[in-house]
Amino acid sequence: MEQIENAVAIVLSIPVYSDLERDLLLREIQSVYNIRMDDFSIIESDERRKPWLTDKKVSIWPQGKVTFWTRYRDYLQIEKNYADSVINQLDRLTDRTLDSLFDPTINAKIGKYGLVVGQVQSGKTSNYTGLLCKAADSGFKLIIVLAGIHNNLRSQTQLRIDEGFLGFDTQHQRAFNQDNIWLGVGKIDQKTIAHSLTSSLDKGDFSSGAANSLGINFNTNEPIIAVVKKNGRVLERLLNWLKAQAVEIDGKRIIRNKSLLLIDDEADNASINTKPEN
């Protein structure tokens, strides 16, 4: 990592390249290097542990069926040239993480939280992309990814999700249809359907106008994803739009029959403010 940072510093010292974004350049360079994935350890309290995935794996991923996860696995193997050992480790880790959540098909109000920690170039992006693919397959129909605090980093995260999950270019269109421009996993299969409330345009963050113009039913059984900045105004817009999709029960606005998976891509930057008030 130090060698990469030194190389970037040299490049940015050249006047013609001085306007480049340092963080974006670092991420682009890191993305072309081979990914390593070490073994993982888990800390979890017994009372919060209720395994469910093993009993449902055959029905979620039946032999021969193309799913979000199976086409992402094929994409990593065929297009990204990931080693079988890395893919198998990713498969194990995402299974274990998903199993630590809850069965999204049960009719209950449940909230679970967790933190995944990894070293630089340890496969964090492929890890959470694989997780959201498996989550969508198993029944999580609303997925929100918090992607840093800058437009360019949010846009880059959206592009990774376009390639690894949606399969189409959200700069062209956010909703799935036959006119999409296919990329990433979409070049392997165009029948696995999900929609995006956001796009990979630099200004493609969430807005209620763009969301309403998608022309999709919020209550669809097809997964819906949003990749948003950790910005108060953006999050408030998203919250208000979700409230508009909810129904009122006992004086509260509640979204029914839709399990939520929320992933904070940069949990160490601009996340929950835990500083006590004076």
Side-chain angles (χ1 to χ4, degrees):
M1 183 61 183
E2 184 178 351
Q3 291 176 319
I4 294 175
E5 290 178 342
N6 290 339
V8 167
I10 293 172
V11 169
L12 294 179
S13 69
I14 302 172
V16 70
Y17 300 123
S18 60
D19 291 336
L20 293 176
E21 288 280 349
R22 177 181 178 276
D23 289 345
L24 183 59
L25 185 57
L26 279 172
R27 287 195 174 201
E28 285 295 334
I29 294 173
Q30 290 169 14
S31 70
V32 302
Y33 276 71
N34 289 331
I35 299 294
R36 71 176 193 276
M37 186 166 287
D38 300 326
D39 204 0
F40 57 88
S41 301
I42 293 175
I43 301 174
E44 187 176 46
S45 61
D46 290 338
E47 65 269 18
R48 296 289 285 168
R49 182 88 179 102
K50 189 176 181 181
W52 61 275
L53 186 59
T54 300
D55 293 338
K56 291 200 166 188
K57 286 192 71 171
V58 173
S59 61
I60 295 173
W61 298 289
Q63 188 72 29
K65 181 181 177 181
V66 177
T67 65
F68 288 104
W69 163 248
T70 60
R71 73 172 183 173
Y72 181 59
R73 181 194 61 202
D74 291 346
Y75 168 71
L76 293 180
Q77 184 177 48
I78 299 168
E79 299 296 330
K80 292 296 189 179
N81 296 313
Y82 274 36
D84 288 345
S85 59
V86 173
I87 294 175
N88 291 337
Q89 181 76 329
L90 175 66
D91 191 11
R92 289 179 54 234
L93 176 56
T94 49
D95 265 8
R96 186 61 178 82
T97 305
L98 183 63
D99 198 37
S100 294
L101 300 178
F102 59 89
D103 181 353
T105 64
I106 63 176
N107 185 18
K109 185 178 179 180
I110 300 172
K112 292 195 75 174
Y113 307 87
L115 176 67
V116 178
V117 180
Q119 299 291 333
V120 172
Q121 288 306 104
S122 61
K124 293 188 292 295
T125 301
S126 56
N127 176 36
Y128 76 69
T129 304
L131 175 62
L132 67 87
C133 285
K134 288 186 175 183
D137 288 334
S138 60
F140 285 91
K141 299 305 180 184
L142 179 60
I143 300 169
I144 298 173
V145 179
L146 303 180
I149 60 175
H150 300 294
N151 284 333
N152 55 2
L153 297 183
R154 189 214 66 82
S155 175
Q156 185 186 34
T157 299
Q158 176 84 52
L159 180 57
R160 297 282 185 268
I161 288 174
D162 289 0
E163 292 172 340
F165 175 63
L166 292 165
F168 57 87
D169 186 355
T170 52
Q171 290 194 25
H172 175 69
Q173 192 156 350
R174 303 183 189 200
F176 178 99
N177 62 44
Q178 294 307 309
D179 296 325
N180 291 131
I181 296 176
W182 309 110
L183 48 75
V185 293
K187 292 182 178 180
I188 295 175
D189 164 71
Q190 297 94 40
K191 296 179 181 179
T192 309
I193 302 173
H195 309 282
S196 179
L197 300 176
T198 52
S199 89
S200 60
L201 289 167
D202 213 38
K203 296 183 179 180
D205 212 333
F206 179 84
S207 73
S208 56
N212 291 332
S213 69
L214 288 179
I216 62 172
N217 183 346
F218 178 76
N219 294 314
T220 178
N221 198 43
E222 297 156 359
I224 298 173
I225 191 168
V227 182
V228 300
K229 291 193 305 295
K230 283 187 274 190
N231 174 282
R233 292 180 181 176
V234 174
L235 295 174
E236 187 173 8
R237 288 200 302 265
L238 178 58
L239 177 61
N240 290 335
W241 186 82
L242 290 173
K243 285 180 178 178
Q245 317 308 314
V247 295
E248 187 164 333
I249 300 177
D250 297 330
K252 296 181 179 180
R253 302 291 295 178
I254 297 175
I255 293 177
R256 303 186 65 182
N257 304 320
K258 194 176 289 291
S259 294
L260 166 69
L261 173 66
L262 189 148
I263 297 175
D264 188 346
D265 184 20
E266 306 237 0
D268 59 341
N269 183 23
S271 286
I272 299 171
N273 182 7
T274 58
K275 183 178 179 180
E277 296 182 4
N278 294 326

